Amino acid sequence: MMYEDITESEESDLCDWQLPLAFMKKRHTERIAASHTETQTWRMKERMKTVSVALVMCLNVGVDPPDVVKTSPCARLECWIDPLATSPQKALEAIGNSLQKQYERWQPRARYKQSLDPTVDEVKKLCTSLRRNAKEERVLFHYTGHGVPRPTTNGEIWVFNKTYTQYIPLSVYDLQTWMGSPSIFVYDCSNAGLILKSFEQFAMQKEQERDALHHPQISGITSRTQMSMPPPAKNCIQLAACGSRELLPMNPELPADLFTSCLTTPIKIALRWFCNQKSSDLVPGITLELLDKIPGRLNDRRTPLGELNWIFTAITDTIAWNVLPRELFQKLFRQDLLVASLFRNFLLAERIMRSYNCTPLSSPRLPPTYQHPMWQAWDLAVDICLSQLPALLNGAEYKHSPFFAEQLTAFQVWLTMGSEMREPPEQLPIVLQVLLSQVHRLRALDLLGRFLDLGPWAVSLALSVGIFPYVLKLLQSSARELRPLLVFIWAKILAVDRSCKADLVKDNGHKYFLSVLADPYMPGEHRTMAAFVLAMIVEGYLNGQVRTEAALQGNVVAICLEQLSDNHPLLRQWLALCLARVWTNFDAARWCGVRDSAHEKLYTLLNDNLPEVRASAVIALGTFIGSGSDRTDHATNIDHNVGMTLINVAQDGSPIVRKELVAALYQLIRQFEGQFASIARQILEDDIRKDENLTPAVAGTASGGFTVVLHGESAVKTNVSGPDLSRRRHSLQPIAPANLGRLKASALHKSPTVGGNLVHHHLPNGPQLSKSPPTPGGSSSSSSSSYGSHGSGDGFTPPAGPIMFEKMRRIPSTAALSTIFSSSYSNVYVQIWKVMLQLASDPYPEVKYLAQSLVNAINLKATFTAKPQLVVDSRRTNSAPNSPTNRRGANHSPQNLSDSPPPSTLNIPNEVLKPVPIRPGEQPPPARPQNPPPIGAAFSHTQQFSRSRKLFDKGPIIPETYEEEQQEVNETPASLAVGTDFSEWCCKYFAQSVMKPPDEMDPFSGLHHEREWRFVRNARLRREALDHIENAGTCRLDDQIFINKNTATPLVVRFHPFNPHIVVADKEGICVWNWENGEKLNYFTNQNPKNSRITSMDFLNSHDVTLVMTGSDDGAVRIWRNYWSQSNKPVELVSAWQALSDMLQSTRGSGLVLDWEQESGMLLASGDVRIIRVWDTQREMKLQDIPTGADSCVTSLACDSVGRSLLIAGCGDGSVRLYDRRLSPAECRVMTLREHNGWVTNVHLQKGAGDGKIISASVSGDVRFWDPRFTESVKLINTPFNTLTAMAVHQQANIIACGSANQLISVYNTAGDTLSNIKYYEGFIGQRIGPISCLAFHPLKMHLAAGSRDSFLSIYSTEKKAR
């Protein structure tokens, strides 16, 4: 579809833009998981320092070397000293001292040693001495060879003999050996490139010699020659003045040591070189003498000379960062201060010396940089400075260079279109330098923050430049205007690289963020970031918490608690998370919170409008009760108080809150493990006593796949079905081995089989371990007649995850549990345990599996509390024997460790024995691990036992003393790891862009264009439907345009308003059809429990990205994404919650009845209950409960679209009740209409004008119209149906359709006229329909969908289908 024939009037008539979207927040669209950031490489693995410097100068002043013919005049200056101005010896010493001072400016703390016109022995002594003192640090060797011959091709440089009568060669091989590694070499002589080549050859030769020493048998080297070798030369750096065939420049305008001058006095030589260029004509009147009079100092950035040096540093850093590979840049420009300075100056040397036909070389080799565009910026800066020089010398005020302001502007321009796909901004290193300036600092921090906001890649890039020490140093600033910027930058850094918190703690940086958090004048978003930074500092970092002891004196707990009522939701969220991390395993902070009533103040957040805030409060309260080490009465009372408050959260509509509730209650259960195990044990025993058949009850699964069974006084009867079995499954939960560790295989003898049954030992007062062999057809040969009532589906088989719970149809967990708990132990532990059992049946899988792992752990512990003794049971069952082929091994003797003979039969309860088939959409469990580890070993959630086990699998061996194993079993729940990734997921917020508007708000994004197209399409379809709607009251609606057999009997059917889709819900799943071409698009299961059914369904966000909402008669609502996807994306469960938790058991119930309003995001829920519950889906929380006042169920719901204050409920007793939800619960029922004599099939509230605004129909066949102002109906339509099973009203047209169990559909207009009768016709081409189960009109078109009990789905229309 394209944008063709879309007019501007259509585009302007898009009301869909104002409609809110439900379940489209980040918590719904992305997985709640921790971010996986790459390991940061910006930190140097090892910082190095150049601690020693050898200055070897072979000048031989007054004597020219024999192989160099110098010009006349010639370059003479050495270190800016004329050697011929004084005596040779004095000149040599002056030059040496001057060179040392030039180096000291870059590294003042190094140890300098001069060797002037030395001999070989002097060089050796110097190098070995410096290496010995430097140890593992770097040593610099500077060689000036202007008074000796050029280096040789054999790898030799020249020095002197003692009498200075001969030139003596010095092998670079020896120099390598003496200098060792790491070292840096500077060669200032002609043909210096030869030294680099020789150095690399000798380094390779040494590597080969080292390898030979490691393998003497291969090389043939004798042990006598095996001497210690110096370290390899791989960490050596070299700088050479020219190539292997090049001579140094001899221009008399230049110094003789031009290369050394560039490396040690870059500004001085750069200014002189600039004046010698033609461009200097632009600045007339500047002479070399004036250059020496530029005012200021190099280290004072406020002076002209200092500013030039600052600009030079920024430019050379920028060139290197943009040209060099990241790893090489880190090594050369960030590892060692002296090396970084030399290489910055080396870039200048390359530019200057190349203009004189010399090519400086380096190892490692650098790409050419002498033509980089940033050099033009340098020339401009020099030009601007020198142009002011005459006026400056006359006392004028210096005007600072616009260089940094212009570069920040260029950086700002890049940011306007910045993205990861573009080249990084070349100005980033300059921004780092600008942070040093108070004038530009504020703007630089702002732009830096905007850059970091682009994403983790930008943070990594900034850290690789070296931004970290600068922003760390700025935390010492007291300037208030910097606070918001620094807090933002640090939040971004810590969200990507948490290792930085160590530096923060080291420098007491947490105090800065404490002061920001406590500042009431700071905006909420900046206090939020301060809370995030503090939370990151204390997270899992012992030093962070030790430092927080000082923070306790700074009242971090009190500061957080004071602001919990702040209007900024993200601040409330991170205050709670910060508190949670502060007192995790930190008693001092916890008791500080106790004294401040922290838990009571956090209670208010449990009702916050934002689910993320509620979840954070649950985390804080969970860590609050889980961090206490001492169990005083006061602490216990607090824990009980918190626990009883937290259980109210179990009815929260957000899965992330309920999942955090499981983790929080785990902290309490872990503290009082014995009490909860005792409660679980009493529940198990009570369940056995209440079971008249006294069937063994499943308590858990132990090692090797064995089932822990509780046995009563008799175990003969095994026929259990119906409510008794379902009720037991609420309280006796199988254990999920993947989440608990394993129960050690030590409770059974190895038993033979008799008649195909495994031998079973009875443990009268404790658990039994039984093994359930798979049997064909889901029945066992031991008692084939005992399984007829519930088939193979009553066994227990989990999907790939923790073992699932099963529930009886329309008996929710609370109703079933209420029969289990007696008043004899109805205390705080019972209430909390009831909630855990509810959560173990949660409709959201992640919540359910997490709760099941905890419940199973406690149940398993409870079964071993009594320390049972092994007793032989001589009773046998009277089941028929298996076939002879299955009787092999019946006469074999088991390995029995006790003195008593082995029993011959095994009493296996049917609920243990029979497997459960895999439902559609479920994954089979993976195979059992080969070697199960002992108790306490951790397993992933996906590691499960196999559903089918070998019949003669070897069972566990019983130890001689059963009691020895008890201690380990009792420790199982304590070793259980129950946690979530919610807090880590919250951290991702700061790693992502917070300034950039979301894609749907960006008019240039693809997502925005998709939405725009959908909204234009919607408007067009609405207009096209108007013509058909106007004539609907007189047209026949009986032309069948679609018929197909559905997967199962349709229970609910819905048309999509704008796509040609119709979704059909059966008992267990949803089928999606394209009614235009008859294609079945998808089918997926709803994951509702067995024996429950779908009773409600609707589309959410049908105008945009559509979701499907289903409601099942167990009270659960589920929201599905990708119900149909062209890109074959899997169907995903967005959210699920228990809309109603107290559904009443009834033989014929309405299930869960829902009514959805897109405009307000309100959801009404009722059904087999005595209330109407109003949910706010934006906040995912219950708004109110409205009592129905009826003794029957609610069968249908409707409400007005304006304000949603008027609610209409049709009831099972035939009444239609009106409620005003603005009134109190006692007064909210404003009218009861009682003219129907039977079950109200449907109730509808008309949106437009008509004879009556409310339409209702009952099973007796009467359709009544009501006006809310009167107590009597204003119109009646008597249909010819005795059993009206379905009624639908068109949203736009005045059309009503009624369906009957007598295979008839009648269509009426609101005047009562019959438009069409669709019924069963005999004959070959006759139309056939079954008993009607559901009806639905298309929201826009004149289409009627009908589902029948024979599983057929038909669509009828006023339009003839194109053949």
Side-chain angles (χ1 to χ4, degrees), residues 17-52:
W17 289 105
Q18 283 74 41
L19 278 178
L21 291 175
F23 298 98
M24 292 296 288
K25 301 289 192 300
K26 275 193 175 183
R27 61 180 179 269
H28 304 122
T29 57
E30 64 181 49
R31 188 168 172 265
I32 306 296
S35 60
H36 301 285
T37 55
E38 297 181 2
T39 304
Q40 302 301 322
T41 57
W42 63 273
R43 284 184 186 271
M44 295 302 302
K45 296 179 181 178
E46 52 179 4
R47 281 216 171 263
M48 302 193 71
K49 189 191 310 181
T50 303
V51 295
S52 301

Side-chain angles (χ1 to χ4, degrees), residues 504-524:
L504 269 180
V505 172
K506 183 179 178 182
D507 288 6
N508 287 321
H510 63 279
K511 294 181 179 179
Y512 187 88
F513 300 99
L514 270 174
S515 64
V516 173
L517 184 59
D519 188 350
Y521 299 104
M522 191 65 63

Side-chain angles (χ1 to χ4, degrees), residues 1097-1313:
M1097 181 176 63
D1098 211 339
F1099 284 112
L1100 275 58
N1101 310 331
S1102 59
H1103 64 294
D1104 201 346
V1105 180
T1106 307
L1107 307 177
V1108 172
M1109 174 181 66
T1110 62
S1112 50
D1113 60 358
D1114 61 343
V1117 174
R1118 292 172 174 84
I1119 311 295
W1120 298 95
R1121 180 193 298 119
N1122 301 331
Y1123 77 97
W1124 167 79
S1125 176
Q1126 290 178 315
S1127 58
N1128 295 322
K1129 292 181 181 178
V1131 179
E1132 298 177 13
L1133 182 64
V1134 178
S1135 183
W1137 76 98
Q1138 205 74 27
L1140 296 172
S1141 56
D1142 298 315
M1143 303 284 280
L1144 302 176
Q1145 183 180 8
S1146 61
T1147 55
R1148 185 196 176 202
S1150 58
L1152 177 62
V1153 179
L1154 301 174
D1155 184 65
W1156 166 251
E1157 184 70 32
Q1158 184 74 43
E1159 285 80 2
S1160 61
M1162 297 289 185
L1163 178 68
L1164 303 182
S1166 190
D1168 294 332
V1169 288
R1170 302 296 179 258
I1171 61 169
I1172 300 172
R1173 183 163 291 173
V1174 184
W1175 288 91
D1176 185 343
T1177 58
Q1178 296 295 331
R1179 295 185 283 177
E1180 297 186 59
M1181 62 189 302
K1182 179 183 72 175
L1183 287 184
Q1184 66 183 125
D1185 284 343
I1186 300 173
T1188 61
D1191 293 330
S1192 60
C1193 61
V1194 173
T1195 61
S1196 57
L1197 289 169
C1199 68
D1200 64 331
S1201 57
V1202 181
R1204 290 184 65 87
S1205 57
L1206 177 63
L1207 310 183
I1208 301 102
C1211 299
D1213 61 359
S1215 63
V1216 176
R1217 298 169 183 256
L1218 279 63
Y1219 305 89
D1220 188 340
R1221 74 181 193 88
R1222 296 170 296 183
L1223 302 177
S1224 64
E1227 302 173 347
C1228 62
R1229 181 158 55 98
V1230 295
M1231 191 177 295
T1232 303
L1233 310 174
R1234 298 183 180 275
E1235 295 187 18
H1236 290 296
N1237 296 323
W1239 180 288
V1240 176
T1241 304
N1242 194 9
V1243 63
H1244 175 80
L1245 180 63
Q1246 283 185 309
K1247 310 300 182 185
D1251 293 335
K1253 291 190 176 180
I1254 301 173
I1255 305 174
S1256 63
S1258 74
V1259 71
S1260 303
D1262 55 328
V1263 179
R1264 297 184 181 272
F1265 294 73
W1266 312 85
D1267 190 315
R1269 297 171 293 179
F1270 307 110
T1271 57
E1272 297 179 354
S1273 59
V1274 297
K1275 185 180 291 187
L1276 170 64
I1277 299 177
N1278 278 314
T1279 66
F1281 306 143
N1282 339 352
T1283 52
L1284 189 148
T1285 56
M1287 188 270 282
V1289 182
H1290 199 286
Q1291 293 181 8
Q1292 308 288 335
N1294 297 322
I1295 301 296
I1296 304 169
C1298 299
S1300 168
N1302 300 327
Q1303 300 170 282
L1304 175 64
I1305 301 173
S1306 294
V1307 182
Y1308 305 90
N1309 58 23
T1310 53
D1313 303 326

Side-chain angles (χ1 to χ4, degrees), residues 255-406:
D257 60 345
L258 178 61
F259 186 62
T260 299
S261 298
C262 290
L263 294 182
T264 56
T265 56
I267 303 302
K268 190 172 185 176
I269 189 64
L271 293 174
R272 278 163 169 72
W273 180 78
F274 177 81
C275 289
N276 290 333
Q277 305 304 305
K278 292 182 179 180
S279 58
S280 62
D281 295 340
L282 298 174
V283 192
I286 301 298
T287 62
L288 295 180
E289 291 76 16
L290 282 179
L291 293 179
D292 292 330
K293 298 178 180 180
I294 295 178
R297 300 188 307 274
L298 288 172
N299 57 1
D300 187 353
R301 293 187 295 272
R302 294 169 298 182
T303 62
L305 193 60
E307 188 178 59
L308 276 179
N309 184 57
W310 184 23
I311 294 172
F312 175 81
T313 302
I315 286 177
T316 50
D317 232 23
T318 300
I319 293 173
W321 188 75
N322 282 284
V323 172
L324 270 57
R326 295 284 177 263
E327 187 176 350
L328 186 59
F329 175 81
Q330 291 287 331
K331 178 181 179 181
L332 300 182
F333 286 82
R334 292 296 181 262
Q335 192 181 53
D336 186 324
L337 290 177
L338 180 58
V339 172
S341 300
L342 290 178
F343 268 93
R344 272 196 292 266
N345 302 340
F346 177 80
L347 301 183
L348 175 69
E350 183 191 17
R351 187 189 190 209
I352 292 178
M353 297 192 72
R354 273 182 179 269
S355 64
Y356 297 106
N357 299 320
C358 276
T359 307
L361 302 176
S362 68
S363 175
R365 197 175 192 87
L366 303 185
T369 60
Y370 65 100
Q371 290 182 329
H372 195 278
M374 287 302 294
W375 285 120
Q376 298 177 13
W378 165 249
D379 291 340
L380 178 61
V382 172
D383 196 316
I384 292 174
C385 179
L386 294 183
S387 64
Q388 300 182 58
L389 185 55
L392 287 176
L393 297 179
N394 294 328
E397 183 178 356
Y398 176 65
K399 296 179 182 178
H400 291 279
S401 171
F403 170 79
F404 289 108
E406 292 169 352

